[in-house]
Amino acid sequence: MQYSQKVLDHFMKPHNIGKIENPDAEATEGSPACGDQVSIQLKVNPETQIIEDIKFQSYGCASNIATGSIITDMAKGRTLAEAKEITWKEAADELDGLPPVKMHCSVLAVDTLRKAIKDYEVKHKLSEADKFNKDTIVEELKKVIYPKVGEDIVSLKMVKYAGFEDGVAIIDLEIPKFDKYRDNVAEEIQEHLEKFKEIKDIKITM
């Protein structure tokens, strides 16, 4: 697997690593059991809503650490509204690219940043907590990356149906039986959806 020099630099000497004492907001996404986890903490100026300090901790591979490092660099000094607009593709581009099978690390870093911003907004009554529904599932599936090409499964039109009924998330995927990434995609869907307390069971058909 070929990493860019920027990925290696951020892996060897990550920026903004550590914890903030009494952070204004924080979030953790992923799971060490599944291979990757990122935690992000924020210190925000309440008048300007500029992110004045941001730290991260990462449990995972080189690209997981590098994306945590670059996303905190990109968010620091921006307003909350500006930081929310950072995409996982922009983060990967800032690292001069990531191997397709590692694009999910960039998604995880951006997702954690957005969750930390949401935590700040809810705590300061700037917005309400998200309400769970079928659209929540579709939005979460947009964070599942097909490793072969490094794009999400919704944009690739691999999701033929996504529903939610009586606590069961129902996902219908179009992916050939001979596809070597078939199990990886199913496992990542499980990982993304099982964090929602509203979901009691996940049924994936392929």
Side-chain angles (χ1 to χ4, degrees):
M1 187 179 302
Q2 187 68 41
Y3 285 122
S4 71
Q5 187 57 50
K6 267 194 174 180
V7 171
L8 296 176
D9 290 344
H10 279 271
F11 167 57
M12 296 299 290
K13 294 182 178 178
H15 305 172
N16 309 306
I17 199 161
K19 298 181 74 173
I20 294 175
E21 190 173 348
N22 300 319
D24 294 323
E26 57 191 329
T28 297
E29 288 291 309
S31 165
C34 298
D36 295 303
Q37 184 179 68
V38 176
S39 298
I40 288 180
Q41 296 181 320
L42 305 178
K43 205 71 177 175
V44 180
N45 184 313
E47 295 181 359
T48 63
Q49 295 194 354
I50 287 176
I51 297 172
E52 295 186 332
D53 197 10
I54 179 169
K55 299 286 187 190
F56 84 99
Q57 290 183 304
S58 168
Y59 302 91
C61 60
S63 55
N64 191 39
I65 294 169
T67 50
S69 177
I70 198 71
I71 200 69
T72 52
D73 273 356
M74 294 172 75
K76 196 170 186 177
R78 295 195 189 193
T79 65
L80 296 175
E82 291 170 343
K84 273 195 295 189
E85 296 301 314
I86 299 171
T87 69
W88 61 267
K89 289 187 178 179
E90 290 172 340
D93 287 345
E94 279 293 313
L95 289 169
D96 293 338
L98 284 170
V101 295
K102 293 296 182 183
M103 280 296 186
H104 67 277
C105 294
S106 185
V107 174
L108 180 62
V110 169
D111 196 27
T112 310
L113 172 64
R114 290 178 179 172
K115 288 286 173 59
I117 291 171
K118 185 70 178 182
D119 181 51
Y120 181 89
E121 291 177 335
V122 172
K123 284 178 178 174
H124 293 78
K125 303 186 187 310
L126 299 173
S127 72
E128 296 181 354
D130 294 332
K131 293 180 180 177
F132 184 88
N133 55 35
K134 176 189 162 186
D135 293 339
T136 309
I137 294 176
V138 175
E139 287 303 310
E140 199 64 26
L141 292 177
K142 291 179 181 177
K143 302 169 187 172
V144 176
I145 301 299
Y146 180 50
K148 186 175 182 180
V149 298
E151 292 285 341
D152 73 89
I153 60 173
V154 174
S155 296
L156 292 170
K157 302 189 185 308
M158 298 172 72
V159 179
K160 295 304 173 187
Y161 176 78
F164 182 66
E165 189 174 329
D166 297 331
V168 180
I170 304 163
I171 315 297
D172 187 4
L173 287 181
E174 185 170 276
I175 182 168
K177 288 184 178 178
F178 57 79
D179 192 312
K180 70 176 183 178
Y181 295 109
R182 185 180 163 97
D183 292 341
N184 300 75
V185 171
E187 287 171 8
E188 198 167 342
I189 289 173
Q190 291 275 353
E191 182 184 338
H192 276 269
L193 296 184
E194 65 188 10
K195 65 185 176 184
F196 295 103
K197 66 180 187 308
E198 294 87 353
I199 296 178
K200 308 303 180 190
D201 194 12
I202 302 167
K203 291 187 176 178
I204 303 172
T205 56
M206 296 186 282

